[in-house]
Amino acid sequence: MTKVTLTVNGRSMSGQAEGRTLLSSFLREELGLTGTHVGCDTSQCGACVVHMDGQAVKSCTVLAQDVDGASVTTIEGMANADGSLGTIQQAFQDHHGLQCGFCTPGMVMASAALLAENPKPTEAEVRHYLEGNICRCTGYHNIVKAVMAASGQDAGGAVAAE
Amino acid sequence: MYNFDFVKPASVEDAVAALGGDEAQPLSGGMTLLPSMKQRLNAPATLVSLTGIDALKGVCRDGDMLVIGAATPHAVVARDAAADYPALAELAGQIGDPMVRNRGTIGGSLANNDPSACYPSAALASGATIVTDKREIAADDFFQGMFATALDEGEIITSVRFPIPQKAAYAKFAQPASRFALTGAFVAQYANGVRVAITGASENGVFRWSEAEAALSSNFSADALAGLAASADQMIGDLHGTPEYRAHLVGVMTRRAVAAAH
Ligand SMILES: Cc1cc2nc3c(=O)[nH]c(=O)nc-3n(C[C@H](O)[C@H](O)[C@H](O)COP(=O)(O)OP(=O)(O)OC[C@H]3O[C@@H](n4cnc5c(N)ncnc54)[C@H](O)[C@@H]3O)c2cc1C
Ligand code: FES
Ligand code: FES
């Protein structure tokens, strides 16, 4: 076991990791941050997306020891300081961008990475960016609407999947 | 996944020394290696991370070459190669999804030589040189069939040198679930001729389509390919497509790449 220290949602946090400990397991089991979900564990679904040093990554395919010292933002870091939902989270609620909610932490983190890079994406750009995030419930349509709304653009214009 | 020792050297020399150990293997972006270890298809005793070696990262212009460090993620190539070699940047920007592009690297992709991976086609069509810790290998000699390369045990790719073409493009027919190439064609035009490399189609991995190269070298237009058909012999047949379907896609994707070349 090796000690790994990360800055998670602005706070320094440490825990023990084996060579094979994944960032997703480290966050959930060592640090108790279970908002990051593990859907497939095969790098396909995007439920486990977190930001590492500002970039979206699939935390099930990153070794905790490999990113010792990194700055990580998880879904727990997306709410406002007073605990109310952040802009993207609120837009998901307003536009019914989730049903079971399993994919939602990854969807919100991927959407946040998109909006940081491209604050006013087109609907096609939103769909393209979210290619690595799978949702089994919503059919994506309301997720796209939510991201458009979170970017301050009219969500009503979103049309059915291409 | 079975447990292993993890080491993260800061220099190529230290990485090579660590790889001299028993059953040690390099880890770059991990986007291929970690899933295969989870499936227990692979169980190294030691993983040697290359992500802490600055000398393996970055894109830089060197005369008429574009040199890319082996541990440079796809997203960085998509951004930093755009001015010098736009077709290569576009290929990198189409790999997988944004999260895969933030971690996966060119060195990992070439070393893995997946028969459906994108980068091998760019390296082969560009006549790139794969630089390792001990030698330089021409792309024509590097790829040796599905998942096989000229790399020796413990040898690591340090950079890849791409001659910059006059015009080039990559056309990929993406397998919609995996986003790998069901068939992809990379076409590059140089002063001394045109090179065409096909990925995703052959059971022998990436290959040069020499008939198309000959036709395009005398007339660089999609029309020059009219009547040319790739043989279905030794093409991949699986639930996504028959050998005949892939052979057909070879022609379609090559024509699209020629039409898009810039
Ligand atoms: C969901 C998903 C979608 C994808 N879509 C595509 C796609 O559309 N097109 C595509 O081309 N690829 C795709 N990939 C694969 C991706 O590009 C991988 O990143 C890449 O194939 C491997 O690179 P890596 O840096 O992750 O290597 P790793 O997984 O770290 O390593 C792969 C292999 O290469 C070896 N290795 C790594 N670096 C070196 C080096 N410098 N020298 C010698 N050996 C080395 C390792 O030991 C290992 O055997 C996808 C992957 C996923 C998970
Ligand atoms: S759990 Fe990581 S991609 Fe599905
Ligand atoms: S809301 Fe259920 S998987 Fe997306």
Side-chain angles (χ1 to χ4, degrees):
Chain A
M1 288 279 193
T2 300
K3 183 176 172 188
V4 168
T5 302
L6 303 173
T7 302
V8 185
N9 303 325
R11 278 179 53 204
S12 176
M13 298 177 94
S14 301
Q16 295 292 323
E18 289 185 306
R20 64 180 164 184
T21 305
L22 302 167
L23 178 59
S24 51
S25 329
F26 186 76
L27 291 168
R28 290 176 55 84
E29 292 157 29
E30 265 303 289
L31 304 184
L33 295 170
T34 54
T36 298
H37 289 173
V38 177
C40 63
D41 210 19
T42 60
S43 329
Q44 307 292 323
C45 77
C48 64
V49 172
V50 301
H51 296 184
M52 213 188 65
D53 296 330
Q55 289 187 322
V57 300
K58 291 179 171 172
S59 63
C60 75
T61 317
V62 172
L63 297 176
Q65 287 195 31
D66 205 13
V67 299
D68 188 21
S71 185
V72 173
T73 305
T74 67
I75 189 68
E76 286 90 347
M78 297 304 282
N80 297 322
D82 65 0
S84 61
L85 296 180
T87 308
I88 299 173
Q89 292 173 306
Q90 188 61 54
F92 269 68
Q93 186 183 63
D94 292 346
H95 294 275
H96 205 56
L98 62 152
Q99 289 178 27
C100 79
F102 196 87
C103 69
T104 313
M107 287 288 180
V108 169
M109 298 314 291
S111 302
L114 165 65
L115 298 183
E117 260 173 47
N118 181 359
K120 298 274 177 220
T122 63
E123 190 198 327
E125 286 169 339
V126 174
R127 288 186 186 277
H128 182 66
Y129 199 92
L130 295 179
E131 251 177 11
N133 293 79
I134 294 174
C135 176
R136 293 287 77 152
C137 302
T138 63
Y140 303 100
H141 189 49
N142 289 347
I143 292 174
V144 177
K145 270 194 190 168
V147 179
M148 293 301 281
S151 70
Q153 305 183 86
D154 181 13
V159 293
E162 291 148 87
Chain B
M1 139 168 74
Y2 293 110
N3 203 17
F4 49 83
D5 291 328
F6 176 84
V7 293
K8 191 170 177 177
S11 72
V12 173
E13 295 69 38
D14 290 351
V16 170
L19 286 165
D22 236 14
E23 291 186 55
Q25 199 174 336
L27 171 74
S28 196
M31 298 307 301
T32 296
L33 182 54
L34 295 177
S36 77
M37 287 171 62
K38 288 179 184 181
Q39 292 178 289
R40 297 185 172 177
L41 296 172
N42 205 331
T46 304
L47 273 192
V48 180
S49 171
L50 305 179
T51 64
I53 306 176
D54 288 340
L56 295 182
K57 292 183 194 168
V59 176
C60 82
R61 175 88 185 232
D62 178 11
D64 54 3
M65 296 275 182
L66 193 66
V67 185
I68 303 183
T72 310
H74 310 326
V76 173
V77 175
R79 187 188 67 211
D80 292 352
D84 291 307
Y85 194 164
L88 184 65
E90 285 156 17
L91 172 147
Q94 288 175 45
I95 293 176
D97 57 56
M99 287 72 71
V100 170
R101 295 194 287 274
N102 283 337
R103 294 293 292 173
T105 66
I106 186 169
S109 178
L110 295 177
N112 196 49
N113 194 18
D114 186 299
S116 301
C118 300
Y119 268 127
S121 68
L124 191 58
S126 306
T129 302
I130 288 82
V131 183
T132 77
D133 60 290
K134 49 185 188 194
R135 57 187 169 143
E136 301 197 345
I137 310 171
D140 284 307
D141 303 323
F142 182 81
F143 301 106
Q144 303 195 340
M146 255 193 206
F147 299 109
T149 69
L151 289 174
D152 291 334
E153 200 71 30
E155 181 175 14
I156 57 171
I157 303 175
T158 54
S159 67
V160 190
R161 299 171 62 82
F162 289 90
I164 296 173
Q166 295 162 337
K167 271 184 174 185
Y170 178 58
K172 166 180 174 181
F173 192 97
Q175 202 279 83
S178 76
R179 294 175 296 279
F180 275 86
L182 191 60
T183 291
F186 200 105
V187 172
Q189 183 179 37
Y190 291 90
N192 59 357
V194 175
R195 291 172 65 113
V196 178
I198 306 292
T199 188
S202 168
E203 287 181 341
N204 302 315
V206 67
F207 70 95
R208 284 174 68 183
W209 188 16
S210 39
E211 291 88 347
E213 291 184 350
L216 291 169
S217 292
S218 51
N219 172 15
F220 192 75
S221 78
D223 294 340
L225 298 171
L228 261 194
S231 157
D233 215 34
Q234 305 207 341
M235 292 285 169
I236 299 170
D238 59 17
L239 79 168
H240 307 299
T242 59
E244 291 72 24
Y245 181 67
R246 281 190 168 81
H248 178 68
L249 276 183
V250 168
V252 174
M253 299 327 280
T254 305
R255 284 196 294 278
R256 285 189 191 169
V258 172
H262 58 103

